[in-house]
């Protein structure tokens, strides 16, 4: 008999539940996948002992055919609602998703990390919140962020910049002189908030204005400040869920509360977020819980699009409404387009982007789906999220330091490299020009 692997376990579980569907209670059945991938069942019911006896044939098959992804005993394979300390965490979890309608089955995935990638997106903030995200570093993300922050500041905007690349902080170094730092940063707030100690005084001690704009204000909230100590021990605790009277509060919601407090304190016109690169919990929380607009930085490489495909494949498994809400936030950015051969480079990148979106998170309308609320874009439809915003590689902005090389911010070279980017992001994010 071929050994069962993680990839096949859920399909096998669904097969078994359909085979024994006549034994299941009338209410929905929840499959719980634990941190190791083992599968258990959760039911609502008033007669668990009698129903458990009825489920005997299913449970025998469950332990036999799902091994090694089955629990050790029949008894440990089933949870009943009335026996759980926190039944809402199972039966009303925001991360459970429907995987079958007949019988009615849901999956609750107890992952050690990454749950925010599959949570229902939050309602958007009333001001533009723009996330800068990429699968890897070295794609010009920080330079583009600096150019946009400067340009918005010169329009008289109040810009609040959050350094949420906590494991590789650096935007503070980019936009603040060495002698200018706030006392504390985001990692301090996360640790203090976990014990109910993140008050307004701390909020006021964790931001400082950057000198790059003389018209508006560019205010930086760094990952850490001059008084931050024990950064690594704090970082190891930063992503934890916290316990509240209403139950567990996950990392993404905690970041959302922080953002709400910062908005209340500083009244910004726009927020820019430097997100952690890669398939990381921070990036998941930023895209699903904070950003109105998520800029996906990409280069013309198979590695880039293979990574985005992994993420998009995961999103494809979400309910349609959640998928559409996430997709509405996305915008690809073609970074570092070369000065020579730029059009060919762009066309190849566009083709990769289009194929990735089309085969994953764009709805492909079948003939019988007429009237369904599905949509797609044509490859050359420049309002589609797959259609990249161009940023041209310019020698002057390689290894760019906005503080040491501040004259380059005011140079005519800036619009040559970033003019289209600034204009397009301003339009997409709905940033209004002052009259």
């Amino acid at each position: 008999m071929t050994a069962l692997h993680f990839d096949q376990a859920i399909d096998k579980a669904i097969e078994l539940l359909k085979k024994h569907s006549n034994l299941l209670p009338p209410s929905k059945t929840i499959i719980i996948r634990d941190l190791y991938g083992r599968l258990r069942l959760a039911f609502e019911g008033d007669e668990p002992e009698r129903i458990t006896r009825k489920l005997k044939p299913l449970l025998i098959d469950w332990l036999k055919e799902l091994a090694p992804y089955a629990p050790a005993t029949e008894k440990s394979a089933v949870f009943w609602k009335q026996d759980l300390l926190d039944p809402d965490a199972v039966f009303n979890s925001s991360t459970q998703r429907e995987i079958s309608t007949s019988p009615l089955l849901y999956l609750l995935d107890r992952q050690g990390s990454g749950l925010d990638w599959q949570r229902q997106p939050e309602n958007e903030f009333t001001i533009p919140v723009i996330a800068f995200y990429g699968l890897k570093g070295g794609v010009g993300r920080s330079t583009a962020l600096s150019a946009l922050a400067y340009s918005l500041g010169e329009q008289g905007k109040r810009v609040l910049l959050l350094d949420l690349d906590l494991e590789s902080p650096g935007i503070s170094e980019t936009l603040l002189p060495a002698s200018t730092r706030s006392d504390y940063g985001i990692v301090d707030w996360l640790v203090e908030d976990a014990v109910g100690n993140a008050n307004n005084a701390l909020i006021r001690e964790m931001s400082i204005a950057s000198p790059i704009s003389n018209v508006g204000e560019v205010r930086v909230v760094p990952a850490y400040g001059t008084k931050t100590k024990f950064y690594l021990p704090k970082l190891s605790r930063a992503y934890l869920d916290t316990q509240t009277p209403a139950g567990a509060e996950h990392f993404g919601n905690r970041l959302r509360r922080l953002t709400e407090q910062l908005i209340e304190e500083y009244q910004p016109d726009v927020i820019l977020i430097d997100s952690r690169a890669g398939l990381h919990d921070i990036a998941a929380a930023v895209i699903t819980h904070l950003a109105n607009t998520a800029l996906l930085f990409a280069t013309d490489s198979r590695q880039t699009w293979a990574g985005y495909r992994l993420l998009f494949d995961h999103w494809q498994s979400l309910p349609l409404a959640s998928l559409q809400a996430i997709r509405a936030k996305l915008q690809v950015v073609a970074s570092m387009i070369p000065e020579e051969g730029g059009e060919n480079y762009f066309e190849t990148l566009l083709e990769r982007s289009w194929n990735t979106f089309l085969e994953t998170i764009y709805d492909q309308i079948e003939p019988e789906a007429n009237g369904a609320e599905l949509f797609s874009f044509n490859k050359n439809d420049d309002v589609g999220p797959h259609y990249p915003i161009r940023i041209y590689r310019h020698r002057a902005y390689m290894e760019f330091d906005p503080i040491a090389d501040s004259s380059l911010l005011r140079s005519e070279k800036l619009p040559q490299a970033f003019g289209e980017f600034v204009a397009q992001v301003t339009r997409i994010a709905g940033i209004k020009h002052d009259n």
Side-chain angles (χ1 to χ4, degrees):
M1 181 176 178
T2 304
L4 187 75
H5 293 289
F6 185 97
D7 294 349
Q8 294 91 42
I10 291 297
D11 288 341
K12 174 58 73 171
I14 294 173
E15 177 186 316
L16 291 174
L17 290 166
K18 288 186 174 182
K19 174 184 174 183
H20 295 287
S21 61
N22 62 309
L23 306 179
L24 300 177
S27 58
K28 70 181 180 183
T29 298
I30 297 179
I31 303 172
I32 301 176
R33 180 159 57 185
D34 71 15
L35 295 179
Y36 299 99
R38 295 189 182 94
L39 303 176
R40 292 172 170 81
L41 297 168
F43 298 109
E44 299 178 89
D46 297 327
E47 301 178 84
E49 289 187 14
R50 183 184 68 80
I51 299 174
T52 300
R53 287 195 299 271
K54 182 182 176 183
L55 290 172
K56 183 79 172 178
L58 166 63
L59 297 179
I60 290 173
D61 281 356
W62 195 265
L63 268 61
K64 177 183 176 182
E65 298 194 34
L66 287 178
Y69 290 100
T73 66
E74 293 175 17
K75 184 176 181 181
S76 64
V78 178
F79 295 115
W80 291 95
K81 184 174 182 178
Q82 54 263 51
D83 296 329
L84 297 172
L85 292 175
D86 186 6
D88 283 344
V90 173
F91 289 91
N92 295 318
S93 171
S94 63
T95 61
Q96 64 174 283
R97 59 184 176 90
E98 185 178 303
I99 56 174
S100 171
T101 56
S102 182
L104 185 57
L105 306 178
Y106 286 80
L107 174 64
L108 182 59
D109 214 347
R110 296 301 200 191
Q111 299 170 201
S113 64
L115 279 173
D116 279 305
W117 286 119
Q118 63 193 51
R119 294 190 194 277
Q120 172 70 32
E122 297 281 352
N123 293 332
E124 294 185 349
F125 288 103
T126 56
I127 65 170
V129 179
I130 305 169
F132 286 63
Y133 172 70
L135 285 169
K136 59 181 182 177
V139 294
R141 199 177 73 233
S142 295
T143 303
L145 190 154
S146 300
L148 181 60
Y150 166 76
S151 299
L152 293 175
E154 292 302 285
Q155 294 175 25
K157 302 296 185 185
R158 295 188 302 276
V159 182
L160 189 64
L161 194 156
L162 311 187
D163 187 354
L164 275 170
D165 193 351
L166 300 183
E167 294 184 24
S168 183
I171 198 65
S172 306
E173 303 296 326
T174 301
L175 294 178
L176 295 172
S179 59
T180 305
R181 292 289 187 279
S182 58
D183 289 345
Y184 298 105
I186 291 172
V187 76
D188 300 290
W189 186 93
L190 289 167
V191 171
E192 298 298 336
D193 175 69
V195 295
N197 198 36
N199 53 30
N200 289 339
L202 179 60
I203 288 288
R204 289 189 287 270
E205 292 179 298
M206 51 188 286
S207 79
I208 197 162
S210 167
I212 65 168
S213 176
N214 296 319
V215 181
E217 180 181 67
V218 176
R219 181 170 287 274
V220 179
V221 182
Y224 63 92
T226 58
K227 294 184 179 179
T228 301
K229 297 180 180 180
F230 309 112
Y231 188 78
L232 292 183
K234 287 180 178 178
L235 184 61
S236 70
R237 294 166 170 82
Y239 309 128
L240 296 177
D241 292 352
T242 58
Q243 296 302 315
T244 71
E249 184 181 27
H250 58 84
F251 176 66
N253 198 63
R254 297 179 66 209
L255 284 182
R256 188 172 177 88
R257 277 198 299 108
L258 168 60
T259 305
E260 289 168 349
Q261 291 179 29
L262 290 167
I263 290 173
E264 182 178 356
E265 179 68 29
Y266 297 110
Q267 299 294 307
D269 298 309
V270 59
I271 292 178
L272 308 182
I273 301 177
D274 188 24
S275 174
R276 180 79 170 92
L279 302 176
H280 192 278
D281 283 7
I282 290 178
V286 166
I287 292 176
T288 60
H289 281 71
L290 303 184
N292 300 354
T293 303
L295 303 177
L296 309 183
F297 279 69
T299 56
D300 179 24
S301 71
R302 288 193 298 272
Q303 178 187 6
T304 293
W305 293 106
Y308 277 126
R309 186 176 291 271
L310 288 174
L311 177 55
F312 290 5
D313 279 340
H314 179 73
W315 278 335
Q316 193 177 25
S317 67
L318 298 179
L320 181 60
S322 297
L323 172 60
Q324 289 175 333
I326 290 174
R327 187 177 56 207
K329 300 170 180 276
L330 307 180
Q331 176 60 55
V332 172
V333 175
S335 60
M336 305 176 72
I337 296 176
E339 296 175 68
E340 295 185 12
E343 284 308 307
N344 289 335
Y345 178 97
F346 179 83
E347 286 299 321
T348 305
L349 192 151
L350 170 59
E351 184 73 24
R352 294 188 196 276
S353 178
W354 160 246
N355 286 332
T356 304
F357 274 77
L358 181 66
E359 295 166 9
T360 55
I361 63 175
Y362 276 172
D363 300 324
Q364 299 183 50
I365 302 176
E366 302 297 335
E368 64 270 18
N370 291 336
E373 293 185 6
L374 303 177
F375 82 101
S376 188
F377 289 99
N378 295 321
K379 185 180 82 170
N380 294 314
D381 193 340
D382 60 8
V383 298
H386 74 277
Y387 196 90
I389 297 175
R390 294 174 173 89
I391 296 180
Y392 294 92
R393 179 184 295 166
H394 198 295
R395 294 184 186 88
Y397 296 99
M398 305 300 290
E399 304 296 329
F400 175 52
D401 183 337
I403 299 300
D405 305 322
S406 59
S407 61
L408 284 175
L409 287 173
R410 296 162 179 82
S411 165
E412 71 282 355
K413 297 174 183 177
L414 190 77
Q416 293 173 13
F418 296 101
E420 178 180 337
F421 171 75
V422 170
Q424 290 284 71
V425 172
T426 298
R427 176 187 62 80
I428 291 168
I431 301 172
K432 297 178 181 179
H433 288 281
D434 296 330
N435 295 328

